[in-house]
Amino acid sequence: MAIDSERCVTAGIAAGLSPAAALFHSLADETRLRIVQRLARGEARVVDLTGELGLAQSTVSKHLACLRDCGLIDYRAEGRQSFYSLTRPELMDVLSSAEHLLSATGHAVTLCPSTARSVE
């Protein structure tokens, strides 16, 4: 799939998806969920994410661009480095609700690091 078709909310809405469908499409990728999980613990650079998640730099950058398109993450520049962080803490509430729903249907997962402690 080409990178343009993987873009999140902005391109999804332009392609005719409702804003809600575009948001959930942006969260439908396991790599993006892993990045969100990591950023929930604090900001990180691309090099941090590649090392911690075991992914290629191009893969991480592509998914960060998608999440930025959604407005779910942003970055701050410090010298030549960019530090990425979540912009919407409400996202963790959405993931926590998804965990509870999946658990209720017999498919327990851990999507949100903050609820991992409360689910155990």
PDB file of all heavy atoms in Angstrom, residues 3 7-8 60-70 73 84:
ATOM      1  N   ILE A   3       2.201   5.055   0.616  1.00  0.00           N
ATOM      2  CA  ILE A   3       2.128   5.893   1.807  1.00  0.00           C
ATOM      3  C   ILE A   3       0.924   6.831   1.774  1.00  0.00           C
ATOM      4  O   ILE A   3       0.286   7.058   2.783  1.00  0.00           O
ATOM      5  CB  ILE A   3       3.437   6.668   2.028  1.00  0.00           C
ATOM      6  CG1 ILE A   3       3.435   7.305   3.426  1.00  0.00           C
ATOM      7  CG2 ILE A   3       3.645   7.712   0.963  1.00  0.00           C
ATOM      8  CD1 ILE A   3       4.767   7.846   3.864  1.00  0.00           C
ATOM      9  N   ARG A   7      -2.301   7.521   4.879  1.00  0.00           N
ATOM     10  CA  ARG A   7      -2.420   8.744   5.660  1.00  0.00           C
ATOM     11  C   ARG A   7      -3.700   8.700   6.479  1.00  0.00           C
ATOM     12  O   ARG A   7      -4.643   8.003   6.159  1.00  0.00           O
ATOM     13  CB  ARG A   7      -2.388   9.981   4.759  1.00  0.00           C
ATOM     14  CG  ARG A   7      -1.063  10.194   4.079  1.00  0.00           C
ATOM     15  CD  ARG A   7       0.000  10.467   5.107  1.00  0.00           C
ATOM     16  NE  ARG A   7       1.296  10.426   4.484  1.00  0.00           N
ATOM     17  CZ  ARG A   7       2.229  11.339   4.684  1.00  0.00           C
ATOM     18  NH1 ARG A   7       2.009  12.350   5.468  1.00  0.00           N
ATOM     19  NH2 ARG A   7       3.386  11.221   4.107  1.00  0.00           N
ATOM     20  N   CYS A   8      -3.735   9.493   7.507  1.00  0.00           N
ATOM     21  CA  CYS A   8      -4.812   9.389   8.487  1.00  0.00           C
ATOM     22  C   CYS A   8      -5.990  10.283   8.196  1.00  0.00           C
ATOM     23  O   CYS A   8      -6.498  10.309   7.093  1.00  0.00           O
ATOM     24  CB  CYS A   8      -4.241   9.678   9.862  1.00  0.00           C
ATOM     25  SG  CYS A   8      -3.025   8.475  10.370  1.00  0.00           S
ATOM     26  N   VAL A  60       9.054   3.839  10.830  1.00  0.00           N
ATOM     27  CA  VAL A  60       8.674   4.709  11.946  1.00  0.00           C
ATOM     28  C   VAL A  60       8.293   6.090  11.433  1.00  0.00           C
ATOM     29  O   VAL A  60       7.259   6.650  11.814  1.00  0.00           O
ATOM     30  CB  VAL A  60       9.812   4.792  12.989  1.00  0.00           C
ATOM     31  CG1 VAL A  60       9.552   5.884  14.011  1.00  0.00           C
ATOM     32  CG2 VAL A  60       9.994   3.444  13.676  1.00  0.00           C
ATOM     33  N   SER A  61       9.094   6.643  10.540  1.00  0.00           N
ATOM     34  CA  SER A  61       8.815   7.987  10.011  1.00  0.00           C
ATOM     35  C   SER A  61       7.481   8.037   9.283  1.00  0.00           C
ATOM     36  O   SER A  61       6.718   9.001   9.426  1.00  0.00           O
ATOM     37  CB  SER A  61       9.944   8.425   9.083  1.00  0.00           C
ATOM     38  OG  SER A  61      11.128   8.607   9.818  1.00  0.00           O
ATOM     39  N   LYS A  62       7.184   6.997   8.518  1.00  0.00           N
ATOM     40  CA  LYS A  62       5.919   6.941   7.779  1.00  0.00           C
ATOM     41  C   LYS A  62       4.735   6.944   8.742  1.00  0.00           C
ATOM     42  O   LYS A  62       3.766   7.685   8.556  1.00  0.00           O
ATOM     43  CB  LYS A  62       5.889   5.680   6.906  1.00  0.00           C
ATOM     44  CG  LYS A  62       4.558   5.416   6.228  1.00  0.00           C
ATOM     45  CD  LYS A  62       4.587   4.136   5.420  1.00  0.00           C
ATOM     46  CE  LYS A  62       4.593   2.941   6.327  1.00  0.00           C
ATOM     47  NZ  LYS A  62       4.403   1.665   5.635  1.00  0.00           N
ATOM     48  N   HIS A  63       4.822   6.144   9.787  1.00  0.00           N
ATOM     49  CA  HIS A  63       3.714   6.064  10.740  1.00  0.00           C
ATOM     50  C   HIS A  63       3.620   7.316  11.608  1.00  0.00           C
ATOM     51  O   HIS A  63       2.511   7.731  11.969  1.00  0.00           O
ATOM     52  CB  HIS A  63       3.827   4.799  11.574  1.00  0.00           C
ATOM     53  CG  HIS A  63       3.528   3.565  10.781  1.00  0.00           C
ATOM     54  ND1 HIS A  63       2.278   3.285  10.275  1.00  0.00           N
ATOM     55  CD2 HIS A  63       4.335   2.547  10.371  1.00  0.00           C
ATOM     56  CE1 HIS A  63       2.314   2.146   9.604  1.00  0.00           C
ATOM     57  NE2 HIS A  63       3.554   1.681   9.647  1.00  0.00           N
ATOM     58  N   LEU A  64       4.750   7.932  11.928  1.00  0.00           N
ATOM     59  CA  LEU A  64       4.707   9.201  12.649  1.00  0.00           C
ATOM     60  C   LEU A  64       4.023  10.267  11.806  1.00  0.00           C
ATOM     61  O   LEU A  64       3.234  11.066  12.319  1.00  0.00           O
ATOM     62  CB  LEU A  64       6.118   9.653  13.032  1.00  0.00           C
ATOM     63  CG  LEU A  64       6.798   8.874  14.157  1.00  0.00           C
ATOM     64  CD1 LEU A  64       8.263   9.283  14.267  1.00  0.00           C
ATOM     65  CD2 LEU A  64       6.071   9.062  15.482  1.00  0.00           C
ATOM     66  N   ALA A  65       4.307  10.284  10.511  1.00  0.00           N
ATOM     67  CA  ALA A  65       3.654  11.251   9.616  1.00  0.00           C
ATOM     68  C   ALA A  65       2.147  11.038   9.608  1.00  0.00           C
ATOM     69  O   ALA A  65       1.370  12.003   9.645  1.00  0.00           O
ATOM     70  CB  ALA A  65       4.218  11.134   8.201  1.00  0.00           C
ATOM     71  N   CYS A  66       1.718   9.800   9.583  1.00  0.00           N
ATOM     72  CA  CYS A  66       0.290   9.490   9.620  1.00  0.00           C
ATOM     73  C   CYS A  66      -0.335  10.006  10.911  1.00  0.00           C
ATOM     74  O   CYS A  66      -1.365  10.684  10.888  1.00  0.00           O
ATOM     75  CB  CYS A  66       0.082   7.988   9.487  1.00  0.00           C
ATOM     76  SG  CYS A  66      -1.638   7.479   9.630  1.00  0.00           S
ATOM     77  N   LEU A  67       0.284   9.700  12.038  1.00  0.00           N
ATOM     78  CA  LEU A  67      -0.254  10.132  13.320  1.00  0.00           C
ATOM     79  C   LEU A  67      -0.232  11.649  13.466  1.00  0.00           C
ATOM     80  O   LEU A  67      -1.119  12.233  14.088  1.00  0.00           O
ATOM     81  CB  LEU A  67       0.514   9.463  14.467  1.00  0.00           C
ATOM     82  CG  LEU A  67       0.296   7.953  14.587  1.00  0.00           C
ATOM     83  CD1 LEU A  67       1.331   7.329  15.512  1.00  0.00           C
ATOM     84  CD2 LEU A  67      -1.118   7.638  15.053  1.00  0.00           C
ATOM     85  N   ARG A  68       0.745  12.294  12.861  1.00  0.00           N
ATOM     86  CA  ARG A  68       0.779  13.766  12.862  1.00  0.00           C
ATOM     87  C   ARG A  68      -0.354  14.312  12.001  1.00  0.00           C
ATOM     88  O   ARG A  68      -0.980  15.309  12.360  1.00  0.00           O
ATOM     89  CB  ARG A  68       2.119  14.288  12.332  1.00  0.00           C
ATOM     90  CG  ARG A  68       3.193  14.267  13.385  1.00  0.00           C
ATOM     91  CD  ARG A  68       4.438  15.016  12.972  1.00  0.00           C
ATOM     92  NE  ARG A  68       4.113  16.427  12.781  1.00  0.00           N
ATOM     93  CZ  ARG A  68       4.574  17.166  11.778  1.00  0.00           C
ATOM     94  NH1 ARG A  68       5.382  16.647  10.875  1.00  0.00           N
ATOM     95  NH2 ARG A  68       4.250  18.433  11.689  1.00  0.00           N
ATOM     96  N   ASP A  69      -0.606  13.688  10.847  1.00  0.00           N
ATOM     97  CA  ASP A  69      -1.729  14.107   9.995  1.00  0.00           C
ATOM     98  C   ASP A  69      -3.044  14.063  10.773  1.00  0.00           C
ATOM     99  O   ASP A  69      -3.938  14.872  10.544  1.00  0.00           O
ATOM    100  CB  ASP A  69      -1.860  13.207   8.763  1.00  0.00           C
ATOM    101  CG  ASP A  69      -0.804  13.483   7.711  1.00  0.00           C
ATOM    102  OD1 ASP A  69      -0.073  14.487   7.827  1.00  0.00           O
ATOM    103  OD2 ASP A  69      -0.721  12.679   6.767  1.00  0.00           O
ATOM    104  N   CYS A  70      -3.154  13.106  11.669  1.00  0.00           N
ATOM    105  CA  CYS A  70      -4.358  12.938  12.480  1.00  0.00           C
ATOM    106  C   CYS A  70      -4.467  13.989  13.569  1.00  0.00           C
ATOM    107  O   CYS A  70      -5.526  14.155  14.155  1.00  0.00           O
ATOM    108  CB  CYS A  70      -4.336  11.587  13.195  1.00  0.00           C
ATOM    109  SG  CYS A  70      -4.277  10.177  12.137  1.00  0.00           S
ATOM    110  N   ILE A  73      -0.344  13.250  17.377  1.00  0.00           N
ATOM    111  CA  ILE A  73       0.996  13.491  17.897  1.00  0.00           C
ATOM    112  C   ILE A  73       1.547  14.760  17.257  1.00  0.00           C
ATOM    113  O   ILE A  73       1.035  15.234  16.239  1.00  0.00           O
ATOM    114  CB  ILE A  73       1.971  12.317  17.633  1.00  0.00           C
ATOM    115  CG1 ILE A  73       2.282  12.183  16.144  1.00  0.00           C
ATOM    116  CG2 ILE A  73       1.448  11.021  18.225  1.00  0.00           C
ATOM    117  CD1 ILE A  73       3.465  11.282  15.845  1.00  0.00           C
ATOM    118  N   TYR A  84       8.980  13.556  19.604  1.00  0.00           N
ATOM    119  CA  TYR A  84       7.556  13.329  19.344  1.00  0.00           C
ATOM    120  C   TYR A  84       6.823  13.049  20.651  1.00  0.00           C
ATOM    121  O   TYR A  84       7.361  12.408  21.561  1.00  0.00           O
ATOM    122  CB  TYR A  84       7.374  12.148  18.386  1.00  0.00           C
ATOM    123  CG  TYR A  84       7.828  12.486  16.995  1.00  0.00           C
ATOM    124  CD1 TYR A  84       9.161  12.348  16.621  1.00  0.00           C
ATOM    125  CD2 TYR A  84       6.934  12.982  16.063  1.00  0.00           C
ATOM    126  CE1 TYR A  84       9.588  12.685  15.339  1.00  0.00           C
ATOM    127  CE2 TYR A  84       7.353  13.328  14.781  1.00  0.00           C
ATOM    128  CZ  TYR A  84       8.673  13.180  14.439  1.00  0.00           C
ATOM    129  OH  TYR A  84       9.088  13.528  13.182  1.00  0.00           O
TER     130      TYR A  84
END
